[in-house]
Amino acid sequence: MTHAADKLRQNIDAACATLQSLADLAEPLARAADAMTQSLTAGGKLLACGNGGSAADAGHLTTEFVCRFTADRKPFPAICLNVHGGDMTAICNDYTFEHIFDRQVHAFGKPGDVLLILSTSGNSENVRRALLAGNELGLTTVALLGRDGGACAGVAQIELVVPGDNTARIQEGHKLIIHTLCELVDEHLLRL
């Protein structure tokens, strides 16, 4: 039991340190929330994607807009690009894995939409290409990254980089950012 208690305390301490470091992201967080609010209230949509745990977080984010976050309100268009199995397997089969998201951004994205990608390393080529496609099409691009931002650093118009080297702690930071974005955007959406 002592080992489990020690491990839990160690992880709590590390998570608290990571979450405290997010205070430095208030300005890009506000810009991301403003972009999402402007897009959704003007009839635009949110596109989101990631790989692995980040794919699950992308789905979590879009669900909060299609369903609701904390209070009842009308639904808003949000599409998680990593849940369309037919699209993804066809793109992987006919092209390559690196194109699973950028082809969908070209299919679904339009100027005024927001594309939000998640990558704990920032080195996923498929999300980097999604950002490039979003920029090309005139979407507002937002990147939730970790470590030093990796290959995606400097590609998105708005970056929120969670510092640290531990993937689990970065993902916990991303989750707090996602919930804060939802809360900030909902302050406006609930009035509609």
Side-chain angles (χ1 to χ4, degrees):
M1 200 65 150
T2 303
H3 176 68
D6 290 344
K7 179 56 72 178
L8 180 59
R9 174 51 51 202
Q10 181 183 35
N11 286 342
I12 290 170
D13 291 344
C16 286
T18 297
L19 297 180
Q20 288 294 330
S21 74
L22 300 182
D24 295 336
L25 300 178
E27 188 273 330
L29 179 71
R31 288 179 34 224
D34 288 346
M36 292 167 64
T37 299
Q38 289 173 14
S39 177
L40 294 174
T41 58
K45 65 187 158 302
L46 172 64
L47 305 177
C49 63
N51 296 295
S54 296
D57 287 341
H60 178 120
L61 173 67
T62 57
T63 297
E64 300 295 10
F65 290 100
V66 172
C67 186
R68 67 184 187 102
F69 183 56
T70 57
D72 192 35
R73 60 153 165 73
K74 73 177 198 171
F76 288 87
I79 301 170
C80 182
L81 301 178
N82 44 258
V83 299
H84 302 285
D87 293 348
M88 288 179 27
T89 56
I91 292 166
C92 287
N93 186 62
D94 293 354
Y95 299 94
T96 62
F97 184 70
E98 288 80 16
H99 292 288
I100 62 172
F101 300 134
D102 67 280
R103 293 208 43 102
Q104 292 183 76
V105 170
H106 280 283
F108 302 123
K110 65 176 178 36
D113 290 344
V114 173
L115 169 66
L116 188 146
I117 67 92
L118 298 102
S119 176
T120 57
S121 70
N123 289 320
S124 300
E125 181 61 17
N126 54 12
V127 295
R128 190 183 76 79
R129 287 178 186 240
L131 289 172
L132 293 171
N135 289 337
E136 176 188 333
L137 294 173
L139 281 68
T140 299
T141 53
V142 179
L144 271 63
L145 304 169
R147 296 178 172 78
D148 64 357
C152 289
V155 180
Q157 296 158 16
I158 303 168
E159 289 184 354
L160 296 118
V161 181
V162 176
D165 294 323
N166 184 297
T167 298
R169 303 296 83 82
I170 293 167
Q171 288 174 329
E172 289 158 2
H174 284 178
K175 188 70 81 176
L176 182 65
I177 290 169
I178 287 169
H179 286 159
T180 305
L181 280 171
C182 290
E183 189 172 351
L184 289 168
V185 176
D186 253 19
E187 289 175 359
H188 299 280
L189 300 184
L190 286 167
R191 296 182 202 143
L192 301 177

